[in-house]
Amino acid sequence: MDIIDNIRQTRDITREQLATILATDDDTLVERLRQAARDTADAVYGNKIFMRGLIELTSHCKNDCLYCGLRRSNRTAVRYRLTDEQIYECCATGYNLGFRTFVMQGGEDGWFDDTRMCRIVRTIRQQYPDCAITLSLGERSRESYQALYDAGANRYLLRHETASPEHYARLHPAEMSWQHRMDCLQALKEIGYQVGCGFMVGSPYQTVDTLYADLQFIRSFQPQMVGIGPFIPAHDTPFADQPHGKVSDTLRLLALIRLLHPCVLLPATTALGTLHPQGRELGIQFGANVVMPNLSPAEHRKDYSIYDNKICTGEESAECRACTEGRLRRIGFESVVDRGDYRNRPACG
Ligand code: SAM
């Protein structure tokens, strides 16, 4: 049995197989990987791609992650916070455009404490009972995650960043802990959230071994969502001069994640679209099934600057939605704006 069939059938991969797939310049092998990933996604979700409306709540952050443009030490970062009213307006615009999932993401900003955040979630839950509410607000206490869940949040995205504690320590300051991030993911799952983990492709010091650990972590953790995108340097950060992650590696890893975890909700990220004009379309063709058009107020878009040259910072929400829909249609996919829940098919294990 060849390498792609083997990975597909066992839903497992060896370190050597991963090394081969990342290093190969055999276009036929890459095309077979792409086709296998796409067939697998089609078998679960058909040609439907789920759209999530992304609302970037705040560019303030108390953390100092070495790779991120929003890190607290970055004195040149422009800081903003959306008001409750601005957030509700984003949701209203999004709802009218058909979105039925709102993703609220932000830096770790104490302004959005439990009282404020629960009030926001509760208000959106009451107003839009038919919508999924996804949060991506970083590391909080178990009590906080529980309170937000009780207020009506359903899903939580918290990239694990790397499954290697040593690699994690080279990407983060000493006060941040790999174990704490992993404990957060576990707590989110136990509370009942649909959980997303993930990592950057091509982050400094990443190796085949750390990527292999990432894939094995995904296999064991069985998240409902996995977010991966290329690392892109951000100016005025310690990694400003590091090379960006490769589009080709990102596509191969998307395809592998689809084969290892067939039911997973897998976004084609803005970072992929930033590095390649057709990056998100390629991501879909390599097995992704989610896109996240931006619903944030246009005047703040450019200030949620986690990396340089981020795309889609000048458009209004309606333009973003129409553009995304058109891009998907041109490659033969149908964008759907329903809640797009995780499908726990028996075939997915
Ligand atoms: N603060 C929340 C958290 O930590 O999960 C959410 C916001 S954080 C900016 C979202 C993700 O952006 C991170 O998990 C990281 O993987 C990604 N990110 C940060 N800097 C990046 C960069 N320079 N290139 C690509 N992705 C980056």
Side-chain angles (χ1 to χ4, degrees):
M1 201 191 313
D2 98 328
I3 180 170
I4 306 295
D5 290 335
N6 185 266
I7 295 166
R8 187 177 189 175
Q9 283 178 24
T10 59
R11 293 192 198 155
D12 199 356
I13 188 166
T14 65
R15 188 208 169 278
E16 286 61 43
Q17 288 171 331
L18 174 62
T20 301
I21 286 173
L22 291 175
T24 191
D25 51 13
D26 176 352
D27 292 343
T28 314
L29 183 65
V30 175
E31 173 54 20
R32 293 204 45 245
L33 171 67
R34 189 201 68 72
Q35 193 61 58
R38 201 50 251 167
D39 289 349
T40 303
D42 284 349
V44 185
Y45 294 102
N47 77 336
K48 294 188 177 8
I49 305 299
F50 299 124
M51 295 235 242
R52 321 295 201 195
L54 179 65
I55 306 171
E56 294 157 335
L57 298 191
T58 171
S59 65
H60 291 260
C61 191
K62 71 172 169 58
N63 285 338
D64 221 13
C65 308
L66 275 67
Y67 45 83
C68 185
L70 301 184
R71 68 198 302 265
R72 68 163 185 265
S73 300
N74 186 356
R75 304 269 167 253
T76 64
V78 180
R79 309 292 178 176
Y80 73 89
R81 292 184 177 110
L82 300 189
T83 63
D84 292 22
E85 286 64 37
Q86 282 176 310
I87 297 167
Y88 303 145
E89 265 172 45
C90 292
C91 292
T93 306
Y95 194 87
N96 289 333
L97 289 170
F99 288 97
R100 294 297 176 267
T101 295
F102 302 123
V103 182
M104 289 187 273
Q105 188 178 80
E108 290 194 23
D109 179 1
W111 174 259
F112 288 97
D113 61 8
D114 289 349
T115 308
R116 186 180 306 273
M117 213 48 236
C118 285
R119 181 176 72 223
I120 293 168
V121 170
R122 217 177 293 114
T123 306
I124 299 172
R125 170 57 56 236
Q126 276 164 9
Q127 183 97 28
Y128 308 106
D130 52 332
C131 290
I133 300 176
T134 306
L135 301 177
S136 179
L137 302 170
E139 297 175 31
R140 301 171 80 99
S141 66
R142 177 185 268 268
E143 294 68 38
S144 172
Y145 290 146
Q146 183 70 59
L148 291 164
Y149 185 81
D150 295 340
N154 318 94
R155 305 177 184 154
Y156 205 102
L157 305 177
L158 184 74
R159 289 184 177 185
H160 63 285
E161 310 298 0
T162 170
S164 154
E166 297 78 27
H167 185 208
Y168 189 92
R170 302 186 82 173
L171 299 177
H172 299 94
E175 78 254 16
M176 290 181 73
S177 135
W178 176 85
Q179 190 58 56
H180 188 256
R181 201 145 182 108
M182 289 299 187
D183 291 347
C184 284
L185 281 167
Q186 198 55 47
L188 288 162
K189 200 171 202 192
E190 285 166 14
I191 289 167
Y193 282 96
Q194 295 178 38
V195 181
C197 65
F199 57 90
M200 293 175 289
V201 177
S203 61
Y205 313 111
Q206 188 172 67
T207 62
V208 172
D209 288 311
T210 65
L211 284 170
Y212 180 63
D214 288 322
L215 296 184
Q216 291 302 340
F217 171 67
I218 291 166
R219 284 188 69 241
S220 64
F221 187 61
Q222 290 288 303
Q224 283 82 11
M225 304 165 279
V226 173
I228 70 163
F231 160 74
I232 304 177
H235 64 280
D236 296 320
T237 64
F239 293 158
D241 298 324
Q242 294 281 335
H244 63 70
K246 288 193 205 154
V247 170
S248 58
D249 286 348
T250 309
L251 296 175
R252 291 171 198 196
L253 285 159
L254 281 170
L256 288 175
I257 292 167
R258 172 63 62 202
L259 294 182
L260 297 177
H261 189 6
C263 290
V264 75
L265 294 160
L266 193 60
T269 57
T270 306
L272 194 52
T274 295
L275 286 189
H276 188 292
Q278 255 75 52
R280 285 163 298 175
E281 289 90 327
L282 286 166
I284 302 291
Q285 283 158 337
F286 276 75
N289 69 327
V290 174
V291 285
M292 294 164 80
N294 207 318
L295 289 179
S296 308
E299 76 257 35
H300 291 303
R301 296 258 182 104
K302 65 180 182 331
D303 299 330
Y304 195 79
S305 183
I306 55 182
Y307 50 78
D308 292 347
N309 305 315
K310 191 174 161 214
I311 53 168
C312 307
T313 56
E315 294 159 348
E316 293 295 337
S317 305
E319 288 173 76
C320 243
R321 186 202 187 288
C323 164
T324 311
E325 196 170 7
R327 281 171 175 268
L328 293 173
R329 200 179 330 107
R330 281 193 287 280
I331 56 167
F333 289 87
E334 186 195 336
S335 49
V336 288
V337 278
D338 66 26
R339 282 173 55 114
D341 277 304
Y342 177 74
R343 290 194 189 159
N344 202 359
R345 293 257 171 101
C348 298

